[in-house]
């Protein structure tokens, strides 16, 4: 009896597999992107479709493809993006055996790990260059340099920070998207490498003026505590995601996340504040302000998204009342 | 109440635009008069007062954009006004040696013609509610010539002023100081020249787009 049921259900699956579905792929202007469309089996996933498109077009590997359901022209509704794990049938209309998807080329992509590695490598290498090499001779400063203790500690602190970031990139972070557009490599590297050089130039300058010993100790001490806290925040965030990166949002809990949504950004900002208290340069503070504003933008978006997702309706939990990024300001 | 505020806004903007128009008209008039009566080396001295006034008043336009009195996005007005103020105060007023250069004449003429057309155009729209189509055409077409002449004059003047900037050490902050900060006006000027490389094609393209929009819109009406 059991054997009979199993045989019938596997026959049904077989039958479904033998059934084909037609996928029409159009560009955003409406014209047919893949001539004649594609034929896939009934249980195909979006990932299968992406593979098929890649095979046909050669140039557009899956991470470069953005596939959406068509929206009626003039509609202001955001199009539904096809998730690579779901089966195509989930996106089809009732009982239909065909589907139209809209293709967009996201441009050449790099993995997030590659992107982060190169943007962090710059500061890690450039800063020591200003410390160790006679760079300032080229700016017209001849003669011997006197190195203050704070400059040595600043070197260690800075390099530790970016070394930590690189390690986290490879061993801690779980990314929701696997890739990022190639253009971001140039943009992000310009940001990190320019600011890294800008700060390194002033803190290692022959005419650098150190602050008091106490201020230095407070700055670096506070900064180190925040870096450790930041690391712990990253561990918590990592555990919110499953290893296969199936994305999905969860309410972060524990440690500082109980009071602030983006505790990881909070600790990062305060950590740079510690560095600046110890090294006191306009360049460092400018960087702090810019970095804070960038992270604040991200934090506001994330906070809003979480509040919208966890609205307390239909059995979903309600997002608790929390600071966004910088208690007691925001 | 709302229509009273609208009327007030129109009154203020009319007065603003026509006043600045008169300023730039003076600049052009005095420049041409000086060229006729003597030579290009005296142009700056003749136009200095109305130039400084009319150009500096343009900061009000940033305010207008911020408070929503006008529709212009501050992303395009800010770089435009920034470069104007830099040339006016940061180069011409700060380094007298450059004032006799012939590019001052081309600069001042390019700027004043552009602004005369622009401010009278807005002055007409605010005061009378419309502007004739030839005026619209002028406003969105003269830039085709005046942008290149104006921008070349700006770049040229900054470039030729560089030796004077370096020699004077004006506006420089040197180390050591407790904020570990330095600023070198000479290198900042070179950086500014660098921004003209992507900046000029960007502004020109922006104006071309504006021209297309404005002229096709008027055709439809």
């Amino acid at each position: 009896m059991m054997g009979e049921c199993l045989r019938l259900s596997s026959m049904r699956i077989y039958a479904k597999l033998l059934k084909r579905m037609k996928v029409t792929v159009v560009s955003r202007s409406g014209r047919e992107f893949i001539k004649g469309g594609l034929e896939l089996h009934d249980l195909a996933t979006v990932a299968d479709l992406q593979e098929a498109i890649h095979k046909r077009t050669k140039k557009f590997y899956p991470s470069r493809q953005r596939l959406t359901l068509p929206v009626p022209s003039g509609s202001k509704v955001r199009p539904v993006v096809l998730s690579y794990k779901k089966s195509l049938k989930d996106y089809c209309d009732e009982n239909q055996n065909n589907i139209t998807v809209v293709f967009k080329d996201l441009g050449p992509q790099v993995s997030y790990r590659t992107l982060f590695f190169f943007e962090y490598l710059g500061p890690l290498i450039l800063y020591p260059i200003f410390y160790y090499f006679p760079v300032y001779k080229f700016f017209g400063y001849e003669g011997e340099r006197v190195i203050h203790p704070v400059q040595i500690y600043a070197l260690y602190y800075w390099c530790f920070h970016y070394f930590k970031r690189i390690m986290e990139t490879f061993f801690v972070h779980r990314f929701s998207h696997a890739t990022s557009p190639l253009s971001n490599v140039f943009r992000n590297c310009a940001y990190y490498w320019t600011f890294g050089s800008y700060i390194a130039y002033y803190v290692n300058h022959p005419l650098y003026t150190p602050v008091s010993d106490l201020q230095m100790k407070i700055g670096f001490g506070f900064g180190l505590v925040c870096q450790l806290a930041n690391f712990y925040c990253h561990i918590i965030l990592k555990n919110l995601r499953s290893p296969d990166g199936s994305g999905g949002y969860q309410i972060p809990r524990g440690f500082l996340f109980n009071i602030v949504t983006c505790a990881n950004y909070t600790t990062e900002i305060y950590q740079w504040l510690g560095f600046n208290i110890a090294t006191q340069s306009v360049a460092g503070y400018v960087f702090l302000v810019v970095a804070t504003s960038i992270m604040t933008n991200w934090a506001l978006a994330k906070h809003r998204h979480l509040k919208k997702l966890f609205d307390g309706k239909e059995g979903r939990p309600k997002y608790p009342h929390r600071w966004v990024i910088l208690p007691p300001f925001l | 109440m709302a229509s009273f505020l609208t009327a007030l806004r129109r009154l203020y903007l009319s007065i603003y635009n026509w006043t600045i128009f008169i300023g730039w008209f003076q600049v052009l008039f005095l420049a041409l008069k000086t060229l006729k009566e003597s030579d290009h080396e005296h142009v700056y001295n003749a136009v200095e007062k109305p130039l400084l006034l009319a150009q500096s008043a343009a900061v009000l336009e940033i305010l207008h954009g911020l408070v929503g009195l006008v529709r212009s996005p501050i992303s395009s007005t800010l770089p435009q006004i920034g470069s104007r103020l830099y040339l006016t105060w940061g180069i011409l007023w700060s380094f007298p040696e450059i004032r006799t250069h012939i590019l001052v004449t081309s600069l001042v003429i390019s700027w004043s013609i552009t602004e005369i057309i622009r401010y009278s155009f807005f002055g007409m729209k605010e005061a009378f509610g419309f502007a004739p189509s030839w005026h619209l055409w002028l406003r969105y077409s003269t830039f085709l010539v005046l942008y290149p002449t104006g921008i070349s004059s700006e770049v040229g003047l900054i470039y030729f002023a560089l030796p004077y900037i370096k020699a004077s050490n004006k506006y420089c902050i040197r180390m050591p100081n407790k904020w570990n900060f330095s600023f070198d006006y000479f290198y900042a000027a070179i950086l500014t020249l660098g921004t003209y490389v992507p900046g000029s094609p960007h502004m020109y393209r922006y104006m071309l787009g504006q021209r297309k929009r404005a002229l096709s819109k008027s055709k439809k009406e």
Side-chain angles (χ1 to χ4, degrees), chain A residues 202 205 207-209 279-282, chain B residues 175-183:
Chain A
Y202 284 105
H205 202 280
L207 297 177
Y208 175 78
T209 309
T279 54
Q280 195 155 299
S281 69
V282 168
Chain B
M175 277 170 82
N177 57 69
K178 79 177 232 199
W179 284 104
N180 292 305
F181 177 65
S182 72
F183 181 75

Side-chain angles (χ1 to χ4, degrees), chain A residues 230 233-234 237 257 260-272 291-292 294-300 302 324-326:
Chain A
N230 175 263
C233 286
H234 288 157
L237 286 175
F257 287 103
V260 59
T261 298
C262 292
N264 50 324
Y265 296 152
T266 313
T267 47
E268 177 72 13
I269 292 169
Y270 282 128
Q271 168 282 128
W272 279 126
T292 302
I294 293 175
M295 283 187 264
T296 304
N297 267 337
W298 293 344
L300 281 167
K302 178 150 191 211
V324 177
I325 180 173
L326 281 176

Side-chain angles (χ1 to χ4, degrees), chain B residues 18-92:
Chain B
W18 285 113
T19 309
I20 311 292
F21 163 83
I22 293 171
W24 283 106
F25 189 85
Q26 273 189 301
V27 171
L28 185 64
F29 177 77
L30 290 167
L32 295 174
K33 180 162 177 272
T34 310
L35 282 176
K36 184 160 156 252
E37 288 171 0
S38 59
D39 57 33
H40 68 264
E41 293 177 2
H42 299 95
V43 166
Y44 179 83
N45 282 335
V47 304
E48 181 175 33
K49 259 220 332 259
L51 175 68
L52 290 179
L53 268 171
Q55 190 59 83
S56 305
V59 289
L60 285 174
E61 280 163 56
I62 300 177
L63 207 69
H64 296 166
L66 275 175
V67 303
L69 210 61
V70 294
R71 269 202 338 245
S72 316
I74 77 161
S75 60
S76 53
T77 50
L78 216 52
Q80 176 89 330
I81 295 185
S83 69
R84 290 292 191 86
L85 290 174
Y86 176 69
L87 258 301
T88 308
W89 290 101
I91 301 287
L92 290 174

Side-chain angles (χ1 to χ4, degrees), chain B residues 56-131:
Chain B
S56 305
V59 289
L60 285 174
E61 280 163 56
I62 300 177
L63 207 69
H64 296 166
L66 275 175
V67 303
L69 210 61
V70 294
R71 269 202 338 245
S72 316
I74 77 161
S75 60
S76 53
T77 50
L78 216 52
Q80 176 89 330
I81 295 185
S83 69
R84 290 292 191 86
L85 290 174
Y86 176 69
L87 258 301
T88 308
W89 290 101
I91 301 287
L92 290 174
W93 180 83
S94 302
F95 302 99
E97 306 95 318
I98 200 68
R99 291 177 190 175
T100 47
H101 202 284
I102 190 160
L103 285 178
V104 174
T105 306
S106 54
L107 179 83
V108 146
I109 290 180
S110 305
W111 283 6
S112 56
I113 297 180
T114 306
E115 300 301 42
I116 284 171
I117 296 172
R118 193 168 141 258
Y119 283 106
S120 59
F121 178 78
F122 287 128
M124 288 288 285
K125 291 203 81 171
E126 294 299 342
F128 304 112
F130 81 100

Side-chain angles (χ1 to χ4, degrees), chain A residues 48 75 91 116 146 164 198 270 275:
Chain A
D48 294 328
S75 158
Y91 293 103
F116 279 18
V146 167
K164 164 179 164 288
Y198 185 48
Y270 282 128
F275 177 83

